[in-house]
Amino acid sequence: MKFRVERDVLSEAVAWVVRGLSSRPPVPVLAGVLLTADPEGTLTFSAYDYEVSATVTVEAEVAEGGQVLVLGRLLADIARNLPTKPVEVSTDGAKVSLTCGSSRFALIQMPVADYPQLPAQAETSGSVPGDAFTQAVNQVSIAADRGDTLPILTGVRVQIDGERITMLATDRYRLAQRELTWSPGSPEADHVCLIPARTLSETAKSLGASAAVELSLGAAGRGDGLVGFEAGRRRTTTRLLDGEYPKVTSIFPSSVDSVAVVDTQSFIEAVRRVALVAERNTPVRLRFTDGQLAIEAGTGDDAQGSEAVEATLEGPEIEIAFNPQFLLDGLGVLGQPYTRLSFTQPSRPAVISGQAELDGDADDSYRYVLMPVRFAG
Protein backbone atom coordinates (compact mmCIF):
# COMPACT_ATOMS: atom_id res chain seq x y z
CA MET A 1 0.00 0.00 0.00
CA LYS A 2 1.26 3.47 -0.83
CA PHE A 3 -0.52 6.84 -0.78
CA ARG A 4 0.01 10.58 -0.36
CA VAL A 5 -2.42 12.82 1.54
CA GLU A 6 -2.49 16.37 2.92
CA ARG A 7 -1.51 16.60 6.58
CA ASP A 8 -4.70 18.45 7.70
CA VAL A 9 -6.89 15.94 5.87
CA LEU A 10 -5.09 13.02 7.55
CA SER A 11 -5.15 14.61 11.00
CA GLU A 12 -8.85 15.51 10.88
CA ALA A 13 -9.92 12.11 9.53
CA VAL A 14 -7.95 10.08 12.08
CA ALA A 15 -9.04 12.30 14.98
CA TRP A 16 -12.68 11.77 14.01
CA VAL A 17 -12.58 7.97 13.81
CA VAL A 18 -10.52 7.44 17.00
CA ARG A 19 -12.60 9.77 19.19
CA GLY A 20 -14.59 6.86 20.63
CA LEU A 21 -11.82 4.28 20.89
CA SER A 22 -11.22 2.88 24.37
CA SER A 23 -7.75 3.37 25.85
CA ARG A 24 -8.04 -0.17 27.25
CA PRO A 25 -9.95 -2.26 24.69
CA PRO A 26 -10.97 -5.86 25.54
CA VAL A 27 -9.18 -7.08 22.39
CA PRO A 28 -5.88 -5.42 21.31
CA VAL A 29 -6.88 -5.06 17.64
CA LEU A 30 -9.81 -2.84 18.68
CA ALA A 31 -7.26 -0.12 19.53
CA GLY A 32 -6.45 0.02 15.84
CA VAL A 33 -7.61 2.11 12.90
CA LEU A 34 -8.10 0.35 9.58
CA LEU A 35 -6.74 2.26 6.58
CA THR A 36 -8.08 1.21 3.18
CA ALA A 37 -6.47 2.81 0.12
CA ASP A 38 -8.39 2.54 -3.15
CA PRO A 39 -6.47 2.98 -6.44
CA GLU A 40 -9.41 5.14 -7.61
CA GLY A 41 -8.04 7.90 -5.34
CA THR A 42 -9.83 7.52 -1.99
CA LEU A 43 -8.61 6.64 1.48
CA THR A 44 -11.00 5.23 4.11
CA PHE A 45 -10.36 5.23 7.87
CA SER A 46 -12.42 2.86 10.04
CA ALA A 47 -12.68 2.14 13.77
CA TYR A 48 -14.98 -0.27 15.62
CA ASP A 49 -15.33 -1.55 19.19
CA TYR A 50 -18.40 -3.84 18.76
CA GLU A 51 -20.62 -1.02 20.09
CA VAL A 52 -19.80 1.99 17.90
CA SER A 53 -18.29 2.11 14.41
CA ALA A 54 -16.92 5.17 12.62
CA THR A 55 -15.85 5.49 8.98
CA VAL A 56 -14.61 8.49 7.00
CA THR A 57 -13.45 8.64 3.37
CA VAL A 58 -11.08 11.32 2.03
CA GLU A 59 -9.34 12.14 -1.24
CA ALA A 60 -5.76 10.87 -1.60
CA GLU A 61 -3.14 10.17 -4.28
CA VAL A 62 -3.06 6.37 -4.16
CA ALA A 63 -0.08 4.78 -5.94
CA GLU A 64 -0.82 1.30 -4.62
CA GLY A 65 -4.05 0.08 -3.02
CA GLY A 66 -4.28 -2.06 0.09
CA GLN A 67 -5.24 -2.27 3.78
CA VAL A 68 -3.26 -1.80 7.00
CA LEU A 69 -4.20 -1.71 10.68
CA VAL A 70 -2.22 0.56 13.03
CA LEU A 71 -2.68 1.90 16.56
CA GLY A 72 -5.35 4.59 16.26
CA ARG A 73 -4.42 7.00 19.03
CA LEU A 74 -0.73 6.86 18.15
CA LEU A 75 -1.51 7.69 14.51
CA ALA A 76 -3.78 10.54 15.65
CA ASP A 77 -1.06 11.99 17.92
CA ILE A 78 1.54 11.80 15.15
CA ALA A 79 -0.76 13.30 12.50
CA ARG A 80 -1.74 16.18 14.78
CA ASN A 81 1.91 17.14 15.38
CA LEU A 82 3.26 16.79 11.83
CA PRO A 83 4.45 19.86 9.91
CA THR A 84 2.00 21.34 7.39
CA LYS A 85 3.27 19.39 4.39
CA PRO A 86 1.99 16.41 2.36
CA VAL A 87 2.22 13.04 4.14
CA GLU A 88 3.43 9.91 2.38
CA VAL A 89 2.45 6.51 3.82
CA SER A 90 3.59 3.11 2.58
CA THR A 91 4.03 -0.43 3.86
CA ASP A 92 7.57 -1.55 4.54
CA GLY A 93 7.66 -5.21 5.58
CA ALA A 94 5.94 -5.53 8.96
CA LYS A 95 5.98 -1.76 9.44
CA VAL A 96 4.05 1.18 8.05
CA SER A 97 6.32 4.03 7.00
CA LEU A 98 5.06 7.60 7.41
CA THR A 99 7.02 10.56 6.02
CA CYS A 100 6.22 14.29 6.23
CA GLY A 101 8.99 16.70 5.31
CA SER A 102 11.99 15.58 7.34
CA SER A 103 9.79 13.76 9.91
CA ARG A 104 9.82 9.97 9.59
CA PHE A 105 7.91 7.36 11.58
CA ALA A 106 7.67 3.57 11.38
CA LEU A 107 4.46 2.13 12.86
CA ILE A 108 3.87 -1.53 13.66
CA GLN A 109 1.26 -3.28 11.52
CA MET A 110 -1.47 -5.04 13.49
CA PRO A 111 -3.10 -8.21 12.04
CA VAL A 112 -5.88 -7.09 9.66
CA ALA A 113 -7.26 -10.66 9.61
CA ASP A 114 -8.11 -10.39 13.33
CA TYR A 115 -10.06 -7.14 12.91
CA PRO A 116 -13.86 -7.57 13.15
CA GLN A 117 -16.12 -6.98 10.17
CA LEU A 118 -17.66 -3.52 10.38
CA PRO A 119 -21.47 -3.43 10.47
CA ALA A 120 -23.10 -2.69 7.12
CA GLN A 121 -25.05 0.54 6.91
CA ALA A 122 -28.77 0.02 6.49
CA GLU A 123 -30.71 1.86 3.81
CA THR A 124 -31.23 5.54 4.63
CA SER A 125 -34.54 6.12 6.42
CA GLY A 126 -34.54 9.91 6.04
CA SER A 127 -32.61 13.09 6.80
CA VAL A 128 -32.75 15.92 9.33
CA PRO A 129 -31.07 19.36 9.18
CA GLY A 130 -27.71 19.21 10.99
CA ASP A 131 -28.29 22.26 13.22
CA ALA A 132 -31.75 21.08 14.32
CA PHE A 133 -30.41 17.57 15.03
CA THR A 134 -27.56 18.92 17.16
CA GLN A 135 -29.80 21.26 19.14
CA ALA A 136 -32.43 18.56 19.77
CA VAL A 137 -29.85 16.04 20.99
CA ASN A 138 -28.23 18.64 23.29
CA GLN A 139 -31.61 19.60 24.73
CA VAL A 140 -32.65 16.04 25.51
CA SER A 141 -29.42 14.23 26.44
CA ILE A 142 -28.85 16.45 29.51
CA ALA A 143 -31.72 14.61 31.23
CA ALA A 144 -30.41 11.09 30.56
CA ASP A 145 -29.14 9.12 33.57
CA ARG A 146 -25.37 9.04 33.98
CA GLY A 147 -25.32 6.14 36.46
CA ASP A 148 -25.52 2.37 35.98
CA THR A 149 -28.45 1.61 38.28
CA LEU A 150 -30.97 1.57 35.43
CA PRO A 151 -29.05 1.20 32.15
CA ILE A 152 -32.19 1.83 30.10
CA LEU A 153 -32.35 5.41 31.45
CA THR A 154 -28.87 6.14 30.04
CA GLY A 155 -30.51 6.20 26.61
CA VAL A 156 -32.53 8.68 24.58
CA ARG A 157 -35.85 7.32 23.34
CA VAL A 158 -36.33 8.29 19.70
CA GLN A 159 -39.80 7.87 18.21
CA ILE A 160 -40.49 8.53 14.54
CA ASP A 161 -44.03 9.00 13.32
CA GLY A 162 -44.19 10.17 9.72
CA GLU A 163 -42.50 13.58 9.50
CA ARG A 164 -42.19 14.00 13.28
CA ILE A 165 -39.30 12.89 15.50
CA THR A 166 -39.81 12.90 19.27
CA MET A 167 -36.74 12.56 21.49
CA LEU A 168 -37.16 11.91 25.21
CA ALA A 169 -34.85 11.23 28.16
CA THR A 170 -35.18 11.13 31.95
CA ASP A 171 -33.09 10.31 35.01
CA ARG A 172 -36.20 10.30 37.29
CA TYR A 173 -35.41 13.82 38.62
CA ARG A 174 -36.05 15.62 35.32
CA LEU A 175 -37.44 14.79 31.92
CA ALA A 176 -36.65 16.43 28.59
CA GLN A 177 -38.69 16.07 25.41
CA ARG A 178 -38.07 17.63 22.00
CA GLU A 179 -40.17 17.37 18.87
CA LEU A 180 -38.79 18.24 15.43
CA THR A 181 -39.60 17.57 11.80
CA TRP A 182 -37.47 15.65 9.33
CA SER A 183 -37.64 14.36 5.76
CA PRO A 184 -38.51 10.64 5.95
CA GLY A 185 -37.86 8.25 3.09
CA SER A 186 -41.44 7.06 3.50
CA PRO A 187 -44.42 9.13 4.79
CA GLU A 188 -45.50 6.04 6.77
CA ALA A 189 -42.19 5.94 8.70
CA ASP A 190 -42.78 4.42 12.14
CA HIS A 191 -39.84 3.58 14.40
CA VAL A 192 -39.02 3.54 18.10
CA CYS A 193 -35.46 3.01 19.31
CA LEU A 194 -33.32 3.64 22.37
CA ILE A 195 -29.91 5.18 21.62
CA PRO A 196 -27.15 5.53 24.26
CA ALA A 197 -27.20 9.23 25.20
CA ARG A 198 -23.42 9.66 25.36
CA THR A 199 -22.90 8.19 21.90
CA LEU A 200 -25.77 10.24 20.47
CA SER A 201 -24.29 13.45 21.92
CA GLU A 202 -20.85 12.73 20.47
CA THR A 203 -22.41 11.93 17.09
CA ALA A 204 -24.41 15.17 17.07
CA LYS A 205 -21.30 17.22 17.91
CA SER A 206 -19.21 15.59 15.18
CA LEU A 207 -21.82 15.51 12.40
CA GLY A 208 -24.09 18.44 13.29
CA ALA A 209 -22.07 21.03 11.37
CA SER A 210 -23.21 19.36 8.15
CA ALA A 211 -26.22 20.68 6.24
CA ALA A 212 -28.07 17.38 6.71
CA VAL A 213 -27.64 14.19 8.74
CA GLU A 214 -29.02 10.97 7.26
CA LEU A 215 -30.50 8.39 9.64
CA SER A 216 -30.57 4.65 8.96
CA LEU A 217 -32.90 2.81 11.31
CA GLY A 218 -32.94 -0.61 9.69
CA ALA A 219 -35.98 -2.64 8.78
CA ALA A 220 -38.60 -2.93 11.50
CA GLY A 221 -38.30 -6.25 13.25
CA ARG A 222 -35.07 -7.17 11.49
CA GLY A 223 -33.40 -7.29 14.88
CA ASP A 224 -29.95 -6.01 13.90
CA GLY A 225 -30.11 -3.59 16.84
CA LEU A 226 -28.23 -0.79 15.11
CA VAL A 227 -28.82 2.82 14.15
CA GLY A 228 -26.65 4.63 11.61
CA PHE A 229 -25.84 8.31 10.99
CA GLU A 230 -24.18 9.74 7.90
CA ALA A 231 -23.13 13.24 6.87
CA GLY A 232 -20.91 13.94 3.89
CA ARG A 233 -18.29 11.19 3.86
CA ARG A 234 -18.56 10.46 7.57
CA ARG A 235 -20.59 7.52 8.75
CA THR A 236 -21.14 6.05 12.20
CA THR A 237 -23.28 3.27 13.67
CA THR A 238 -24.12 2.46 17.26
CA ARG A 239 -25.73 -0.49 18.96
CA LEU A 240 -29.13 0.22 20.47
CA LEU A 241 -30.09 -0.38 24.09
CA ASP A 242 -32.45 -3.29 24.79
CA GLY A 243 -35.56 -3.06 26.88
CA GLU A 244 -38.87 -1.24 27.24
CA TYR A 245 -38.57 2.43 28.14
CA PRO A 246 -40.84 3.40 31.06
CA LYS A 247 -44.03 5.27 30.17
CA VAL A 248 -43.05 8.65 31.59
CA THR A 249 -45.10 11.10 29.52
CA SER A 250 -47.78 11.01 32.23
CA ILE A 251 -45.41 13.23 34.25
CA PHE A 252 -46.47 16.20 32.10
CA PRO A 253 -49.15 17.97 34.18
CA SER A 254 -52.62 18.03 32.63
CA SER A 255 -53.47 21.42 34.13
CA VAL A 256 -51.54 24.56 35.16
CA ASP A 257 -52.29 26.97 38.01
CA SER A 258 -49.48 29.54 37.65
CA VAL A 259 -47.36 30.62 34.67
CA ALA A 260 -44.27 32.83 34.98
CA VAL A 261 -42.12 34.32 32.21
CA VAL A 262 -38.53 35.46 32.84
CA ASP A 263 -35.71 36.74 30.63
CA THR A 264 -33.61 33.59 30.07
CA GLN A 265 -30.11 35.12 30.28
CA SER A 266 -30.92 37.18 33.40
CA PHE A 267 -32.43 34.07 35.01
CA ILE A 268 -29.34 31.93 34.26
CA GLU A 269 -26.91 34.55 35.58
CA ALA A 270 -28.90 35.14 38.77
CA VAL A 271 -29.26 31.42 39.57
CA ARG A 272 -25.56 30.88 38.86
CA ARG A 273 -24.58 33.66 41.30
CA VAL A 274 -26.97 32.68 44.09
CA ALA A 275 -26.04 28.98 43.75
CA LEU A 276 -22.44 29.81 44.72
CA VAL A 277 -23.51 29.55 48.37
CA ALA A 278 -25.62 26.41 47.81
CA GLU A 279 -23.61 23.50 49.17
CA ARG A 280 -23.96 20.00 47.76
CA ASN A 281 -27.62 18.89 47.57
CA THR A 282 -28.80 22.33 48.74
CA PRO A 283 -31.62 23.72 46.58
CA VAL A 284 -32.22 27.25 45.33
CA ARG A 285 -35.61 28.66 46.28
CA LEU A 286 -37.68 30.59 43.74
CA ARG A 287 -40.44 32.91 44.94
CA PHE A 288 -42.68 34.19 42.16
CA THR A 289 -44.81 37.30 42.75
CA ASP A 290 -46.36 39.65 40.23
CA GLY A 291 -43.50 41.49 38.52
CA GLN A 292 -40.66 39.78 40.37
CA LEU A 293 -38.82 36.51 40.90
CA ALA A 294 -36.79 36.29 44.11
CA ILE A 295 -34.01 33.67 44.08
CA GLU A 296 -32.51 32.55 47.40
CA ALA A 297 -30.11 29.90 48.72
CA GLY A 298 -28.81 29.02 52.17
CA THR A 299 -30.60 29.23 55.54
CA GLY A 300 -29.85 29.70 59.22
CA ASP A 301 -26.15 29.65 60.06
CA ASP A 302 -25.12 28.70 56.50
CA ALA A 303 -23.86 31.13 53.87
CA GLN A 304 -26.77 32.84 52.13
CA GLY A 305 -27.37 34.53 48.81
CA SER A 306 -30.34 36.21 47.14
CA GLU A 307 -31.17 38.15 44.00
CA ALA A 308 -34.32 39.42 42.30
CA VAL A 309 -35.11 39.59 38.60
CA GLU A 310 -38.12 40.88 36.69
CA ALA A 311 -40.84 38.34 35.90
CA THR A 312 -44.47 38.26 34.84
CA LEU A 313 -46.88 35.96 36.66
CA GLU A 314 -50.34 34.72 35.78
CA GLY A 315 -52.13 32.88 38.59
CA PRO A 316 -51.40 32.51 42.33
CA GLU A 317 -48.01 33.40 43.81
CA ILE A 318 -45.81 30.36 44.34
CA GLU A 319 -42.58 29.40 46.13
CA ILE A 320 -40.71 26.34 44.86
CA ALA A 321 -37.18 24.92 45.17
CA PHE A 322 -34.96 23.12 42.65
CA ASN A 323 -31.56 21.51 42.40
CA PRO A 324 -29.59 24.48 40.96
CA GLN A 325 -27.53 22.42 38.50
CA PHE A 326 -30.59 20.63 37.12
CA LEU A 327 -32.31 24.01 36.72
CA LEU A 328 -29.26 25.52 34.94
CA ASP A 329 -28.98 22.46 32.67
CA GLY A 330 -32.48 23.05 31.34
CA LEU A 331 -32.18 26.83 31.03
CA GLY A 332 -28.85 26.51 29.24
CA VAL A 333 -30.28 24.57 26.29
CA LEU A 334 -33.62 26.38 25.86
CA GLY A 335 -32.31 28.46 22.96
CA GLN A 336 -35.04 31.10 23.46
CA PRO A 337 -34.81 34.68 24.84
CA TYR A 338 -37.56 34.07 27.40
CA THR A 339 -38.26 31.20 29.78
CA ARG A 340 -41.82 30.11 30.62
CA LEU A 341 -42.32 28.16 33.87
CA SER A 342 -45.65 26.41 34.40
CA PHE A 343 -46.64 25.23 37.91
CA THR A 344 -49.45 23.40 39.63
CA GLN A 345 -48.20 23.39 43.25
CA PRO A 346 -44.79 23.54 45.02
CA SER A 347 -44.65 19.76 45.50
CA ARG A 348 -45.43 18.90 41.86
CA PRO A 349 -43.14 18.96 38.80
CA ALA A 350 -42.73 22.25 36.95
CA VAL A 351 -42.57 22.49 33.15
CA ILE A 352 -39.96 24.78 31.59
CA SER A 353 -40.25 25.85 27.97
CA GLY A 354 -39.10 28.81 25.88
CA GLN A 355 -40.73 31.62 23.99
CA ALA A 356 -39.45 34.24 21.56
CA GLU A 357 -41.25 37.26 23.06
CA LEU A 358 -42.30 38.30 26.55
CA ASP A 359 -45.98 38.36 25.62
CA GLY A 360 -45.72 35.68 22.94
CA ASP A 361 -46.83 32.07 22.82
CA ALA A 362 -44.82 29.24 24.34
CA ASP A 363 -42.67 27.11 22.07
CA ASP A 364 -43.76 23.64 23.18
CA SER A 365 -41.43 21.83 20.77
CA TYR A 366 -39.05 21.55 23.77
CA ARG A 367 -40.28 20.89 27.30
CA TYR A 368 -38.12 20.30 30.35
CA VAL A 369 -39.93 18.85 33.39
CA LEU A 370 -38.14 19.37 36.70
CA MET A 371 -38.98 17.73 40.02
CA PRO A 372 -38.97 20.20 42.93
CA VAL A 373 -36.91 19.73 46.10
CA ARG A 374 -38.53 19.85 49.52
CA PHE A 375 -37.25 22.69 51.71
CA ALA A 376 -37.74 23.78 55.28
CA GLY A 377 -40.78 25.97 55.70
Side-chain angles (χ1 to χ4, degrees), residues 92-232:
D92 184 9
K95 300 277 183 77
V96 175
S97 172
L98 187 150
T99 306
C100 181
S102 60
S103 300
R104 300 182 189 286
F105 295 89
L107 306 182
I108 297 171
Q109 285 197 54
M110 302 167 75
V112 174
D114 294 347
Y115 201 68
Q117 178 76 32
L118 269 80
Q121 184 89 329
E123 186 180 338
T124 300
S125 305
S127 67
V128 60
D131 53 352
F133 175 67
T134 303
Q135 184 189 41
V137 172
N138 289 342
Q139 289 177 322
V140 172
S141 58
I142 55 165
D145 199 346
R146 290 167 176 80
D148 296 324
T149 313
L150 281 172
I152 201 160
L153 295 185
T154 63
V156 171
R157 183 182 187 271
V158 178
Q159 179 174 1
I160 291 173
D161 182 9
E163 295 183 350
R164 189 173 75 236
I165 298 178
T166 303
M167 297 184 183
L168 183 146
T170 182
D171 61 3
R172 293 170 295 172
Y173 302 104
R174 64 256 179 92
L175 180 150
Q177 178 176 288
R178 170 68 196 269
E179 294 182 351
L180 68 159
T181 57
W182 77 318
S183 303
S186 164
E188 289 85 35
D190 182 16
H191 294 274
V192 176
C193 58
L194 195 56
I195 306 172
R198 206 181 97 199
T199 306
L200 187 60
S201 292
E202 290 172 354
T203 300
K205 283 174 191 165
S206 62
L207 297 181
S210 305
V213 177
E214 295 182 348
L215 276 65
S216 303
L217 298 156
R222 196 171 70 188
D224 51 9
L226 291 174
V227 62
F229 303 92
E230 187 169 356

Side-chain angles (χ1 to χ4, degrees), residues 170-347:
T170 182
D171 61 3
R172 293 170 295 172
Y173 302 104
R174 64 256 179 92
L175 180 150
Q177 178 176 288
R178 170 68 196 269
E179 294 182 351
L180 68 159
T181 57
W182 77 318
S183 303
S186 164
E188 289 85 35
D190 182 16
H191 294 274
V192 176
C193 58
L194 195 56
I195 306 172
R198 206 181 97 199
T199 306
L200 187 60
S201 292
E202 290 172 354
T203 300
K205 283 174 191 165
S206 62
L207 297 181
S210 305
V213 177
E214 295 182 348
L215 276 65
S216 303
L217 298 156
R222 196 171 70 188
D224 51 9
L226 291 174
V227 62
F229 303 92
E230 187 169 356
R233 290 189 160 190
R234 294 180 174 185
R235 182 164 67 85
T236 183
T237 66
T238 183
R239 192 158 294 285
L240 300 174
L241 294 171
D242 290 326
E244 188 71 29
Y245 204 74
K247 291 177 171 55
V248 291
T249 50
S250 59
I251 292 173
F252 288 107
S254 55
S255 62
V256 171
D257 294 336
S258 302
V259 174
V261 178
V262 192
D263 178 86
T264 302
Q265 196 55 40
S266 301
F267 194 8
I268 290 172
E269 291 172 2
V271 172
R272 202 173 274 152
R273 281 190 286 267
V274 173
L276 293 172
V277 299
E279 296 181 9
R280 184 175 172 81
N281 297 326
T282 303
V284 291
R285 301 183 301 281
L286 310 180
R287 186 182 298 112
F288 291 89
T289 55
D290 189 25
Q292 181 177 281
L293 160 60
I295 305 166
E296 300 174 353
T299 55
D301 297 331
D302 298 330
Q304 297 176 23
S306 65
E307 186 166 338
V309 294
E310 290 184 8
T312 64
L313 178 68
E314 293 180 14
E317 296 182 358
I318 187 168
E319 184 171 3
I320 194 167
F322 297 115
N323 174 305
Q325 191 54 56
F326 289 175
L327 177 59
L328 287 169
D329 285 346
L331 296 176
V333 296
L334 267 186
Q336 293 281 11
Y338 294 95
T339 300
R340 173 186 288 245
L341 300 100
S342 304
F343 311 99
T344 49
Q345 50 185 304
S347 60

